[in-house]
Amino acid sequence: MMYPFMTLDDQTEIVHSEMKDDGSVKVYMERPDEKDCFHYATCYLPMYRWEDVFGFSEDDMNRLKAVVESTAHLILRYSKEGGFENASSF
């Protein structure tokens, strides 16, 4: 299951999985693109292992890495609680 987490001002959507038994969480980002349909990237926390990156520029990736690094504590917490909506009681 993937849970919505954040939408950035450039329309990049960030979602995350539930926490796996090994403590890892998959964080997936995608942004619509007219030419390529979507640009996307995957990061695994808490290792910060990036893979399957397509279409994002180096500047885009630096920004995404900064966003993930600054919110990882929230993503990890929400991954244990069924996503933001369950954690925040909305």
Side-chain angles (χ1 to χ4, degrees), residues 11-15 28-32 38-41 56:
Q11 298 182 340
T12 300
E13 295 279 340
I14 302 175
V15 299
Y28 179 77
M29 290 132 278
E30 72 177 19
R31 179 178 66 206
F38 286 96
H39 293 171
Y40 51 84
F56 287 117

Side-chain angles (χ1 to χ4, degrees), residues 4 19 41 84:
M19 186 173 283
F84 174 78

Side-chain angles (χ1 to χ4, degrees), residues 59-70:
D59 287 341
D60 292 334
M61 287 306 299
N62 288 336
R63 181 174 185 224
L64 290 175
K65 287 176 182 179
V67 169
V68 170
E69 288 173 13
S70 67

Side-chain angles (χ1 to χ4, degrees), residues 1-2 17-26 44 79:
M1 173 116 198
M2 298 299 277
S17 70
E18 72 280 356
M19 186 173 283
K20 306 297 183 189
D21 291 337
D22 66 359
S24 67
V25 176
K26 178 181 180 179
Y44 290 91
S79 72

